[in-house]
Amino acid sequence: MARGKLRIYLGAAPGVGKTYAMLSEGHRRRERGTDLVIGFVEHHGRPRTEVMLHGLEEVPRREVAYRGTTFTEMDLDAVLRRRPAVVLVDELAHTNVPGSRHTKRWQDIEEILQAGIDVVATVNIQHLESLGDVVESITGVRQQETVPDEVVRRADQIELVDMSPQALRRRMAHGNIYAPDKVDAALSNYFRPGNLTALRELALLWTADRVDEYLQQYRAEHSVSRIWNARERIVVGLTGGPEGRTLIRRAARMAAKGSGGEILAVYIARSDGLTSASPKELAAQRTLVEDLGGTFHHVIGEDIPQSLLEFARGVNATQIVLGSSRRKTWQYVFGPGVGATVARDSGPDLDVHIVTHEAVARGRGLPVARGARLGRSRIAAGWVSGVLGPLLLTLGLTDMATGPGLANDVLLFLFLTVVAALLGGLLPALASAAVGSLLLNYFFTPP
């Protein structure tokens, strides 16, 4: 049996008309001949919403006794027995009366969907679980009934029911939401313009993120590689060098110029690990980009320019921010560099910004990274073994009456080079190889 489809009307604030919109959708489907029933609708005594119930079949509610009081809940078993094509269920975050089969109404809806019945439901933005603390800090009211974000995100369709704060307050003043004796208190507390504006922004941003997920899914399913400039999304290419923080701050200023801009910092490392940067510096840059509202990504790729462009196109980025090269002038004989290659291959739909910084043309090396990985004591030990080791080995071999032979001499000097590399890294190993080859050639190789 195929799972039913879920459509959710997401309200930006109480009273914007999500239940009215759900009932209007019910009437449209009923007029098209769809077998539709009302599972549960709470009209809160609002006359215009109550009128919309007329003409729609409603499954009788189930009465539940709790602590001497009788409550009504959606009769889940009756809905399943009726087996309509579509059922309307209000207030997704509602907590059922103890003694019900499920604790939350969204769990009732999940069982209906599993039975192959489509559901049209409603929920307000302040009831999303991830926004509980944010909503409380804005309104001063802690929402006791919440629904997991993933339940809403899994919906096949989400439609935002929005209204400007001024229009919602007028609706409140006209008595279309609360009884007249509650209007003044509501307007001066929860329904203040600032609260409504903040809730509206939360709803718009949350819905925009969900739309972005739909867009990314569509692009992946249809293999769309061309950039769609639906939203400013800025990729910052990090090398682990000292310029990284400058690039992140510059990208943040660029993103702030447009509403809804997003920052994605990416560090691309080769699989062989030879170009790895300082973990400490990368951790600091990751903290900075997250503090500025962005995200950090670590990508493995052999061709850094190509990997960067593939990442940017994969996330539908509109801009790439890179730092000016740290290479010295003579080093350009080895190639144009990452920045020039990315700018050349980016195409007409992806802008590349090259940002200057204090480390320009001061060399590509990252000595801080090597020191951070190995430590001064290990580097010193590497130099000692790389320089003094071959000298001591030469003295030992020349004092022997009968040497081990040239082949074994070569292996001994090579062993010292490996030890120097393990202790101190590349430079001590190179020094050991140079000193060892000179001594081996002078003392042990026949003319």
Side-chain angles (χ1 to χ4, degrees):
M1 180 182 298
R3 176 184 170 88
K5 296 185 179 300
L6 175 61
R7 176 170 183 163
I8 293 178
Y9 284 93
L10 177 65
V16 294
K18 65 185 186 302
T19 302
Y20 190 94
M22 179 184 70
L23 292 172
S24 297
E25 174 68 15
H27 280 284
R28 286 192 295 271
R29 296 195 184 199
R30 189 65 179 268
E31 291 171 359
R32 295 196 298 264
T34 302
D35 182 17
L36 178 144
V37 300
I38 295 176
F40 189 97
V41 167
E42 184 59 73
H43 55 74
H44 297 289
R46 298 166 186 168
R48 299 193 178 195
T49 304
E50 192 173 1
V51 168
M52 294 295 293
L53 296 174
H54 298 163
L56 296 177
E57 178 186 348
E58 185 171 4
V59 175
R61 300 184 184 185
R62 180 173 60 93
E63 294 186 349
V64 181
Y66 180 68
R67 292 184 177 180
T69 305
T70 300
F71 299 89
T72 59
E73 295 285 4
M74 179 176 67
D75 193 333
L76 178 59
D77 291 326
V79 171
L80 295 174
R81 285 194 302 270
R82 172 64 175 76
R83 291 199 61 81
V86 181
V87 59
L88 308 183
V89 184
D90 207 3
E91 298 185 0
L92 191 65
H94 172 76
T95 301
N96 292 327
V97 175
S100 302
R101 182 185 310 174
H102 300 296
T103 303
K104 304 289 290 188
R105 184 167 291 162
W106 64 263
Q107 295 171 318
D108 294 338
I109 290 176
E110 180 65 23
E111 186 170 343
I112 295 174
L113 293 171
Q114 291 292 342
I117 302 172
D118 294 346
V119 177
V120 182
T122 66
V123 69
N124 278 330
I125 190 66
Q126 70 267 23
H127 293 295
L128 294 183
E129 197 169 79
S130 67
L131 300 178
D133 294 338
V134 179
V135 172
E136 183 180 11
S137 67
I138 293 170
T139 65
V141 177
R142 182 69 181 186
Q143 299 295 327
Q144 300 301 320
E145 295 186 322
T146 60
V147 58
D149 290 45
E150 185 58 28
V151 173
V152 183
R153 287 183 179 276
R154 286 201 306 263
D156 300 278
Q157 297 180 57
I158 299 176
E159 183 170 334
L160 178 64
V161 183
D162 184 29
M163 180 176 290
S164 70
Q166 295 77 12
L168 183 55
R169 284 171 58 84
R170 283 197 300 270
R171 177 180 287 185
M172 173 74 69
H174 294 158
N176 294 330
I177 300 176
Y178 291 155
D181 59 332
K182 298 181 179 179
V183 169
D184 290 339
L187 290 175
S188 59
N189 290 284
Y190 194 92
F191 286 82
R192 294 194 301 269
N195 289 359
L196 297 178
T197 301
L199 291 174
R200 187 187 193 195
E201 182 178 28
L202 283 176
L204 291 170
L205 291 175
W206 195 92
T207 307
D209 287 339
R210 187 67 183 99
V211 171
D212 189 61
E213 291 177 13
Y214 281 130
L215 179 61
Q216 296 295 347
Q217 181 181 353
Y218 178 87
R219 285 169 54 84
E221 291 174 352
H222 293 79
S223 301
V224 179
S225 59
R226 190 170 182 271
I227 303 298
W228 289 356
N229 298 322
R231 177 180 182 181
E232 286 296 334
R233 187 172 282 107
I234 303 173
V235 169
V236 184
L238 301 177
T239 64
E243 76 281 2
R245 303 185 197 191
T246 301
L247 302 183
I248 293 170
R249 293 189 181 98
R250 182 71 179 92
R253 292 196 298 271
M254 294 168 59
K257 293 180 180 179
S259 178
E262 184 180 357
I263 307 172
L264 300 93
V266 57
Y267 171 70
I268 299 175
R270 291 175 54 182
S271 59
D272 54 20
L274 295 178
T275 59
S276 59
S278 165
K280 182 178 180 181
E281 180 62 29
L282 283 177
Q285 293 176 13
R286 178 174 192 153
T287 300
L288 176 60
V289 73
E290 290 176 351
D291 289 344
L292 293 173
T295 56
F296 182 90
H297 305 265
H298 193 121
V299 175
I300 303 297
E302 299 301 326
D303 188 335
I304 293 179
Q306 185 63 29
S307 298
L308 181 61
L309 288 171
E310 288 177 358
F311 175 83
R313 292 194 174 100
V315 299
N316 199 31
T318 56
Q319 303 180 58
I320 296 178
V321 174
L322 299 173
S324 296
S325 179
R326 297 194 310 271
R327 297 193 300 176
K328 296 183 182 297
T329 303
W330 64 268
Q331 292 176 308
Y332 282 93
V333 299
F334 298 107
V338 173
T341 304
V342 170
R344 181 193 64 200
D345 298 339
S346 61
D349 52 356
L350 186 57
D351 296 335
V352 179
H353 302 266
I354 306 297
V355 179
T356 59
H357 50 85
E358 295 181 352
V360 173
R362 293 190 177 182
R364 297 177 62 184
L366 297 173
V368 175
R370 290 194 293 271
R373 291 200 306 271
L374 300 178
R376 293 183 179 180
S377 60
R378 282 190 58 182
I379 294 177
W383 280 104
V384 169
S385 63
V387 177
L388 295 181
L391 295 174
L392 295 176
L393 178 61
T394 301
L395 291 176
L397 292 175
T398 53
D399 287 342
M400 296 176 61
T402 302
L406 180 60
N408 291 324
D409 292 342
V410 172
L411 291 176
L412 290 173
F413 279 101
L414 181 60
F415 173 75
L416 291 178
T417 300
V418 173
V419 171
L422 292 175
L423 291 175
L426 177 62
L427 294 181
L430 292 176
S432 177
V435 174
S437 63
L438 291 174
L439 294 174
L440 185 67
N441 182 66
Y442 185 82
F443 288 102
F444 305 104
T445 305

